C-alpha cells in the first residue's frame, strides 16, 4: 500500500475533527476525500502531509510510519486551492524551487522543468510571472512544482476551487490524463460530488469526523452504505413508511414490510432512474402530474406529484422525454422499479441498525 491510515483521530482542544478513521490507498490510485465542510477530509489530508499531528493512531507511507517524520522528509507534493505560487518568481523558478532546495544539479533541474512544462502543456510560459497567467495555468504550475521532486504521494486540497466552472471542468479532464500518464498516488479533497465521481478511482466519504464509506464512484452511487451517503451523493428519493395491515405504506404507495410488525416504521430510498414514467395512464398503477422538468444536459429530471401531494423525482434521457411527448402539467403513470431499505427501527442503544439491500417493487405499479 502507498498510504495506510490506522485508527487515526485528531482533536483540536475538546473538538474531535477526526474520529478513529482507517483506510488505505494503493500505489498509483487517485482517491477523492469527499464530504461537507467540517467533515474532517482536509484534516486527514493535512495529517498525511505532516501539517497536522494525529492525536491517536498511525499513518504509514510506503510501509514507513511517518507520525514523527517532518514534512520535508516525507517526499510528498502538496497543492493548495490558492496556488501558493511565489509572485516574484517566474514560472521556471516556481517549478524549480523545490529542486533547488533539495540541491539538484543545474542540468538536472533544467531537464526536469522542461519535462514538466511539456507534460503539463506550459511550454513558452517559462519567463512569465503568476499575475500574467490564467487561473488554470497557475493551478497547473502549482501541480508541476509539487511534481518536480518526483514525490511518492501527491496531495491536492480543493485544487480547482479557485477557478470558474468551465476551467474547472477542463482541469478535471486534464488531471485524469495526467494521472494516467504518471501513476502518482494522489489524494484530493473536494466537496463537489460530481468532481469526485468524475475524477477518482475510489472515494472516501467523511461526515462530522467519521468515515462513512469507501468505494468506487459506481459503488458509492449505487450501493450507498447509509442514508447520509445516499443523500449526499446524487439525488435520492427517501420515504418513511408505516406498517399497516402487513404492508409498509405512505399515502397511496405500499411496499413489502420485510418482517416488520404492525405500526413499525421503515425508511426506503431510490434513485430517480428507478422511477419509471409513461404517458399511457394505464401503463402503471399510480398516476401523477409532471409538475416541473429540470434540464441537466443529456438527461432530464422530472418532478412528479401524486394525488396525495407526495413528490417523486424521476430521471430520463432527453430522447425518451421527446419520444413520449412529455410536458409540464401533463398527467402520467408512474412506478418505482426498485428501492433500498435505508433503516429499520431496531434500536441499538442510540443507534439505528442500517441495511442497504435492493428489493424489487411490489407487483406492478408501486
Amino acid at each position: 500500500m502507498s498510504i495506510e491510515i490506522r485508527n487515526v483521530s485528531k482533536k483540536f482542544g475538546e473538538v474531535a475533527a477526526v474520529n478513529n478513521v482507517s483506510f488505505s490507498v494503493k500505489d498509483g490510485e487517485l482517491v477523492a476525500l469527499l464530504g461537507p465542510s467540517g467533515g474532517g477530509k482536509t484534516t486527514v489530508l493535512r495529517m498525511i502531509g505532516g501539517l497536522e499531528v494525529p492525536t491517536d493512531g498511525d499513518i504509514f507511507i510506503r510501509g514507513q510510519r511517518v507520525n514523527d517524520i517532518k514534512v520535508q522528509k516525507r517526499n510528498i507534493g502538496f497543492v493548495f486551492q490558492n496556488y501558493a505560487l511565489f509572485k516574484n518568481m517566474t514560472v521556471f523558478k516556481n517549478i524549480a524551487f523545490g529542486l533547488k532546495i533539495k540541491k539538484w544539479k543545474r542540468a538536472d533541474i533544467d531537464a526536469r522543468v522542461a519535462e514538466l512544462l511539456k507534460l503539463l502543456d506550459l511550454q513558452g510560459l517559462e519567463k512569465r510571472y503568476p499575475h500574467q497567467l490564467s487561473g488554470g495555468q497557475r493551478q497547473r504550475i502549482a501541480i508541476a512544482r509539487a511534481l518536480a521532486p518526483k514525490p511518492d504521494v501527491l496531495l491536492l486540497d480543493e485544487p480547482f476551487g479557485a477557478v470558474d466552472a468551465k476551467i474547472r471542468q477542463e482541469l478535471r479532464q486534464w488531471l485524469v490524463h495526467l494521472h494516467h500518464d504518471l501513476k502518482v498516488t494522489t489524494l484530493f479533497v473536494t466537496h463537489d460530488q460530481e468532481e469526485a465521481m468524475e475524477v477518482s478511482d475510489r472515494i472516501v466519504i467523511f461526515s462530522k469526523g467519521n468515515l462513512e464509506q469507501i468505494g468506487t464512484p459506481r459503488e458509492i452511487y449505487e450501493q450507498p452504505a447509509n442514508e447520509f451517503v445516499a443523500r449526499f451523493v446524487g439525488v435520492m428519493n427517501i420515504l418513511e413508511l408505516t406498517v399497516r395491515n402487513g404492508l409498509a405504506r405512505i399515502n397511496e404507495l405500499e411496499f413489502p414490510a420485510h418482517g416488520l410488525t404492525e405500526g413499525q416504521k421503515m425508511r426506503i430510498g431510490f434513485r430517480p432512474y428507478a422511477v419509471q414514467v409513461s404517458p399511457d395512464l394505464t401503463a402503471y398503477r399510480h398516476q401523477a402530474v409532471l409538475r416541473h422538468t429540470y434540464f441537466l444536459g443529456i438527461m432530464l429530471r422530472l418532478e412528479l406529484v401524486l394525488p396525495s401531494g407526495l413528490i417523486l423525482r424521476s430521471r430520463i434521457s432527453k430522447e425518451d422525454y421527446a419520444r413520449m411527448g412529455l410536458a409540464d402539467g401533463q398527467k402520467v403513470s408512474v412506478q418505482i422499479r426498485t428501492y433500498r431499505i435505508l433503516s429499520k427501527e431496531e434500536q441499538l442503544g442510540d443507534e439505528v441498525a442500517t441495511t442497504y439491500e435492493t428489493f424489487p417493487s411490489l407487483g406492478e405499479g408501486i
Side-chain angles (χ1 to χ4, degrees):
M1 291 295 174
S2 197
I3 301 171
E4 286 189 71
I5 309 297
R6 297 183 187 173
N7 306 114
V8 167
S9 297
K10 177 63 179 179
K11 288 186 177 181
F12 294 99
E14 296 299 316
V15 178
V18 177
N19 301 311
N20 195 31
V21 165
S22 297
F23 68 93
S24 60
V25 179
K26 301 173 186 176
D27 286 338
E29 265 196 306
L30 196 165
V31 173
L33 306 184
L34 174 65
S37 297
K41 55 191 185 299
T42 295
T43 301
V44 169
L45 195 79
R46 289 173 64 84
M47 286 191 288
I48 294 170
L51 302 178
E52 299 288 352
V53 179
T55 305
D56 294 296
D58 297 304
I59 297 174
F60 294 83
I61 297 177
R62 293 194 176 277
Q64 180 183 19
R65 184 179 181 275
V66 297
N67 291 45
D68 304 317
I69 296 179
K70 294 181 179 180
V71 179
Q72 298 84 349
K73 302 293 184 179
R74 296 193 185 192
N75 196 27
I76 284 178
F78 215 125
V79 180
F80 300 93
Q81 179 179 341
N82 62 356
Y83 318 128
L85 297 176
F86 300 110
K87 297 179 181 180
N88 61 336
M89 291 187 183
T90 63
V91 167
F92 183 97
K93 289 182 177 180
N94 263 286
I95 296 174
F97 181 79
L99 305 181
K100 290 182 178 179
I101 294 296
K102 291 178 179 291
K103 301 188 184 302
W104 280 37
K105 295 179 180 179
R106 178 58 188 266
D108 293 336
I109 291 176
D110 291 346
R112 181 59 173 165
V113 172
E115 178 187 1
L116 289 167
L117 287 169
K118 180 179 180 180
L119 181 66
L120 277 64
D121 196 22
L122 295 168
Q123 292 168 299
L125 303 179
E126 298 92 324
K127 296 181 180 180
R128 293 192 187 180
Y129 290 87
H131 73 273
Q132 298 174 311
L133 305 171
S134 69
Q137 290 171 332
R138 289 197 293 270
Q139 190 58 287
R140 279 184 285 152
I141 291 164
I143 293 175
R145 184 177 64 185
L147 288 171
K150 300 183 179 180
D152 292 327
V153 174
L154 180 63
L155 305 180
L156 310 174
D157 188 8
E158 297 277 5
F160 311 138
V163 296
D164 63 40
K166 184 177 185 299
I167 295 175
R168 190 178 182 122
Q169 182 65 40
E170 292 172 354
L171 284 172
R172 288 179 192 171
Q173 297 171 5
W174 170 82
L175 179 62
V176 170
H177 292 306
L178 178 68
H179 182 263
H180 181 268
D181 292 338
L182 297 181
K183 290 298 182 184
V184 176
T185 303
T186 303
L187 278 80
F188 77 102
V189 164
T190 182
H191 63 271
D192 186 322
Q193 300 94 324
E194 181 179 324
E195 185 167 276
M197 298 282 283
E198 182 177 343
V199 171
S200 61
D201 298 320
R202 288 192 301 153
I203 301 172
V204 186
I205 299 184
F206 293 91
S207 173
K208 297 180 180 178
N210 299 309
L211 193 160
E212 300 289 348
Q213 187 172 358
I214 305 173
T216 65
R218 183 168 185 171
E219 288 169 346
I220 293 291
Y221 187 80
E222 295 185 351
Q223 302 170 40
N226 53 44
E227 185 170 333
F228 170 81
V229 176
R231 287 181 179 274
F232 188 74
V233 179
V235 177
M236 176 71 81
N237 293 282
I238 294 178
L239 304 177
E240 182 170 299
L241 315 170
T242 303
V243 178
R244 298 196 304 270
N245 300 322
L247 292 173
R249 306 171 186 268
I250 179 171
N251 298 339
E252 57 264 70
L253 301 181
E254 53 189 28
F255 301 80
H258 296 290
L260 297 183
T261 59
E262 189 73 11
Q264 276 195 284
K265 297 183 182 300
M266 64 182 285
R267 294 170 71 80
I268 66 168
F270 45 94
R271 296 292 185 189
Y273 63 73
V275 180
Q276 296 178 308
V277 177
S278 173
D280 179 358
L281 298 183
T282 65
Y284 304 126
R285 177 177 171 183
H286 290 287
Q287 293 186 8
V289 173
L290 173 51
R291 184 164 75 175
H292 191 73
T293 303
Y294 296 89
F295 180 73
L296 306 174
I298 63 172
M299 301 299 294
L300 301 175
R301 188 167 74 237
L302 312 181
E303 188 175 88
L304 306 162
V305 183
L306 298 177
S308 65
L310 189 66
I311 296 175
L312 302 179
R313 289 167 293 183
S314 179
R315 182 168 175 166
I316 63 174
S317 69
K318 63 180 181 181
E319 288 80 9
D320 285 343
Y321 185 89
R323 176 180 55 79
M324 290 190 284
L326 298 177
D328 288 359
Q330 181 177 349
K331 278 190 174 182
V332 294
S333 63
V334 300
Q335 76 166 352
I336 300 166
R337 182 167 48 88
T338 59
Y339 64 95
R340 296 175 181 273
I341 294 178
L342 293 176
S343 62
K344 295 182 180 180
E345 287 197 338
E346 298 168 356
Q347 297 298 321
L348 302 177
D350 294 329
E351 299 181 355
V352 176
T354 300
T355 63
Y356 217 86
E357 303 174 57
T358 304
F359 295 94
S361 61
L362 178 66
E364 293 187 2
I366 296 301

